[in-house]
Amino acid sequence: MKKFTAVSDVENLQEIIKKALQIKENPLSETEKGKGKTIGLVFLNSSLRTRLSSQIAAQNLGLNVLTLNAAQEAWNLEFADGAIMNGDTVEHIKDAIEVLNQYCDIIAVRCFAGMKSKEDDVNESILSQFEKHAKVPVISLESATRHPLQSLADCITITEHWTEERKPKVVLTWAPHIKPIAQAVGNSFAEWMQEMEVDFVIANPQGYDLDKNFTKDIKVIHNQEEALKDADFVYVKNWSSFDEYAAMPEVKDSWMLTNEKLSVTNNAKVMHCLPVRRNVELSDEVMDGENSIIYQQAKNRIFSAQAVFSEILDGLDSK
């Protein structure tokens, strides 16, 4: 693996899921693999699971870990090409990346959507700079349009909780929120589910359809109860409008997930990437109920990261 920013960077999804589950059985099986190599974790945005799981995964592989909270601890960064830097920005992103090239064997970056310019976000204005200027493998820790390490953890979680021979029905359902949220998790989950052996459906209100570049021909249902019927897994997530970019069109019906709504499912397991707004996106009874596998999903973030880091290290060794 040369980089990891989308499912297209994975040669064989089932093989990397299998590898992650093997790592979960013995997380310290490759403690010498990263010896003498350094991974730089660059955070332009807040993080809990991504930061900690990435650090644990890297340490399990023997990697030296550098963590930079770039939005708080680094110089103010300039991202525009040809900028005349006579304002608040102190260091250009391409200079910062060139320095990271000197210090790191792998660069992993977290850079959310700005939610102001649709063009900038769709074109990955920040992640693309890392891909352009980095001379070492780049890993996305979530970008403007995707969250691939989360999506891999989701695939791992579904795989280990499904034992029947038939395809499971997986529903990604929109949930309410108090502010506009980017589409990255929804986009990414939709992409990855298309590579899994599942029957996949998206449920969201009118005005909240995701970008067709990610959902392709996936069935989208605007009635939550209809979509949830006979579901085996229900993934709860909010996102703002894509068409009316970053807007929050009015939704009159209740879309918060409750046990009553789960009654039409096939005793579905409930997933969420966290953090979650309790009693806004889903109820306490669901979050704390026996059908919730949200914390197991969070734990699998370690093994998704470790499997990817291991594959990236194999790519370095093959040079």
Side-chain angles (χ1 to χ4, degrees):
M1 189 183 293
K2 304 301 182 186
K3 67 184 181 75
F4 184 78
T5 62
V7 69
S8 57
D9 295 318
V10 176
E11 185 174 337
N12 187 312
L13 177 54
Q14 289 305 313
E15 283 300 314
I16 200 167
I17 292 172
K18 181 180 177 181
K19 177 171 185 167
L21 289 170
Q22 289 172 341
I23 289 170
K24 189 171 184 177
E25 290 293 319
N26 186 4
L28 301 179
S29 60
E30 297 182 311
T31 54
E32 297 293 310
K33 194 167 195 175
K35 187 175 181 180
K37 293 184 173 65
T38 298
I39 184 169
L41 306 178
V42 182
F43 290 89
L44 281 81
N45 302 99
S46 301
S47 178
L48 189 153
R49 280 149 297 279
T50 299
R51 181 191 305 269
L52 299 182
S53 62
S54 296
Q55 289 176 337
I56 294 168
Q59 291 165 359
N60 286 348
L61 291 165
L63 280 159
N64 181 41
V65 184
L66 301 179
T67 302
L68 176 64
N69 300 314
Q72 293 84 33
E73 299 171 353
W75 300 111
N76 288 343
L77 292 169
E78 176 62 59
F79 295 96
D81 285 336
I84 299 173
M85 293 174 56
N86 59 359
D88 293 337
T89 56
V90 177
E91 184 160 31
H92 200 283
I93 186 64
K94 62 184 178 183
D95 300 324
I97 295 170
E98 186 53 50
V99 172
L100 289 170
N101 285 329
Q102 315 304 314
Y103 297 164
C104 304
D105 300 282
I106 304 167
I107 298 172
V109 59
R110 185 174 179 90
C111 47
F112 288 172
M115 304 290 286
K116 295 178 180 178
S117 167
K118 184 175 185 177
E119 181 180 5
D120 283 350
D121 290 344
V122 167
N123 292 325
E124 294 283 8
S125 61
I126 298 177
L127 181 63
S128 63
Q129 296 259 27
F130 280 84
E131 294 193 87
K132 178 180 178 181
H133 298 295
K135 297 181 175 67
V136 300
V138 171
I139 295 171
S140 170
L141 301 177
E142 187 172 359
S143 68
T145 65
R146 295 178 173 95
H147 196 350
L149 282 177
Q150 177 65 59
S151 297
L152 177 54
D154 300 336
C155 292
I156 294 164
T157 305
I158 290 170
T159 298
E160 68 180 346
H161 281 89
W162 189 249
T163 57
E164 297 186 33
E165 292 190 8
R166 66 175 176 84
K167 291 182 181 180
K169 180 181 177 181
V170 179
V171 178
L172 171 63
T173 181
W174 182 91
H177 208 284
I178 65 167
K179 64 180 183 178
I181 299 294
Q183 298 96 27
V185 171
N187 288 341
S188 197
F189 189 68
E191 270 196 329
W192 287 69
M193 285 300 101
Q194 290 172 78
E195 301 298 321
M196 292 279 284
E197 288 294 316
V198 300
D199 291 324
F200 182 54
V201 173
I202 300 175
N204 59 256
Q206 295 280 359
Y208 285 91
D209 287 0
L210 293 165
D211 184 353
K212 277 286 189 182
N213 286 319
F214 296 98
T215 60
K216 307 294 185 186
D217 296 323
I218 293 168
K219 187 175 184 179
V220 179
I221 299 175
H222 296 127
N223 181 299
Q224 190 182 37
E225 182 177 357
E226 179 186 343
L228 290 175
K229 188 176 180 182
D230 299 326
D232 299 296
F233 293 89
V234 177
Y235 198 118
V236 182
K237 186 70 180 85
N238 174 265
W239 57 86
S240 56
S241 176
F242 178 74
D243 290 335
E244 190 182 346
Y245 195 67
M248 298 174 66
E250 182 182 3
V251 177
K252 294 182 179 179
D253 295 333
S254 172
W255 280 72
M256 183 180 76
L257 190 68
T258 63
N259 277 347
E260 182 180 357
K261 290 185 178 182
L262 285 175
S263 65
V264 301
T265 71
N266 185 30
N267 198 31
K269 301 296 186 184
V270 177
M271 303 172 68
H272 191 290
C273 62
L274 296 176
V276 64
R277 298 250 179 185
R278 284 173 174 254
N279 302 308
V280 175
E281 295 177 78
L282 50 75
S283 63
D284 279 337
E285 63 181 5
V286 174
M287 184 71 192
D288 300 326
E290 61 182 16
N291 286 42
S292 172
I293 54 172
I294 293 170
Y295 298 136
Q296 297 96 312
Q297 186 184 356
K299 183 174 183 178
N300 283 338
R301 290 297 308 278
I302 298 170
F303 312 115
S304 68
Q306 193 166 333
V308 168
F309 295 173
S310 178
E311 292 286 300
I312 293 285
L313 287 169
D314 287 342
L316 290 178
D317 292 339
S318 66
K319 286 185 178 179

